[in-house]
Amino acid sequence: MDALDRLDAEISRCRLCPRLVAWREEVAATKRAAFRDQTYWGRPVPGFGPHDARIAILGLAPAAHGGNRTGRIFTGDRSGDVLFAALHRAGLANQPTSTDRDDGLTLTDTRIFAAVRCAPPDNKPTPQERDTCAPFLHREMGLIRPHLRVVVALGGFAWAAFWPALKAVYGVAPARKVPFGHGVLWQTEGAPALLGCYHVSQQNTFTGRLTPGMLDEILARAKALAGAN
């Protein structure tokens, strides 16, 4: 077991945020009717993907009946359906769907993780919960630092979470605040590029704010920035 595996195991045991612990375990016990025969993960969700990934996709937090159920980030929910289909079209995933941890999915050159590792009520972590979880993100980015070339931030929350990680891991900070926007690119020498993307939430994909074509363009840019084939 290497350092990243040990970190993943540590993340899955975390109980530092009482509100999140109570919520994730309540959801795992009550379940959604469609999944009533399944055993929910009900714990923090570690990152997923190769340890030498050149592309990182940073999300907000696991979904209550997605990652909190399956134990793998973005797996088993509508947002994940959109994301994994796009990763497959981009040649970064071996299959277009992800339904459970044992479904055979593998990622190429890509690691996915979240700013907050537990499913929060209403998908809204508190500032204290965000800050409590931040060291996990900082440590994970530090461990994949030798290969990491670009981070795709899904939404404004992930975009905001990147900057403290950048400072902690790389000792770098922008001269002024960089506002989030879809397609916004920030780069500096000696650190991974940051590329903004609207979150793959149902609110965005159902309304057409984020289309499959827009997501394909972001992943193509990420591959180019990372030097991935």
Side-chain angles (χ1 to χ4, degrees):
M1 181 181 291
D2 68 10
L4 192 52
D5 290 329
R6 290 194 295 272
L7 176 61
D8 289 345
E10 181 182 342
I11 289 170
S12 70
R13 296 191 298 267
C14 182
R15 300 184 65 84
L16 289 177
C17 298
R19 187 182 79 114
L20 297 187
V21 171
W23 172 250
R24 79 191 191 210
E25 293 181 353
E26 177 186 347
V27 169
T30 58
K31 306 181 182 181
R32 178 174 284 171
F35 308 125
R36 62 182 177 274
D37 297 329
Q38 298 184 19
T39 299
Y40 275 54
W41 173 258
R43 291 185 276 158
V45 181
F48 172 69
H51 296 191
D52 60 352
R54 287 179 283 181
I55 300 167
I57 297 178
L58 177 59
L60 191 162
H65 301 281
N68 188 58
R69 172 174 60 90
T70 64
R72 190 163 69 194
I73 190 68
F74 280 112
T75 289
D77 62 47
R78 294 290 181 87
S79 296
D81 291 344
V82 173
L83 178 60
F84 288 115
L87 288 170
H88 182 254
R89 291 193 301 270
L92 298 172
N94 69 323
Q95 59 192 45
T97 59
S98 181
T99 56
D100 63 71
R101 291 195 309 280
D102 301 315
D103 62 8
L105 176 71
T106 59
L107 301 180
T108 300
D109 264 330
T110 307
R111 188 166 176 87
I112 306 176
F113 42 63
V116 174
R117 305 305 172 108
C118 290
D122 299 320
N123 290 321
K124 294 179 180 178
T126 67
Q128 182 179 357
E129 290 162 351
R130 174 201 62 203
D131 294 345
T132 299
C133 209
F136 287 141
L137 173 60
H138 302 176
R139 288 167 61 189
E140 188 160 2
M141 283 185 59
L143 289 170
I144 65 174
R145 175 178 178 171
H147 303 278
L148 184 61
R149 297 294 177 267
V150 57
V151 176
V152 178
L154 298 178
F157 190 96
W159 182 268
F162 172 81
W163 304 111
L166 180 72
K167 180 67 173 178
V169 177
Y170 294 88
V172 173
R176 60 185 64 85
K177 183 177 180 181
V178 184
F180 168 76
H182 183 82
V184 172
L185 174 65
W186 176 87
Q187 292 178 287
T188 194
E189 189 173 350
L194 177 66
L195 182 58
C197 179
Y198 290 142
H199 196 281
V200 288
S201 65
Q202 292 185 62
Q203 180 180 359
N204 287 337
T205 58
F206 283 7
T207 61
R209 189 183 192 209
L210 178 65
T211 66
M214 291 167 65
L215 188 52
D216 290 346
E217 290 176 2
I218 290 291
L219 293 178
R221 289 181 70 188
K223 289 181 65 176
L225 288 163
N229 294 326

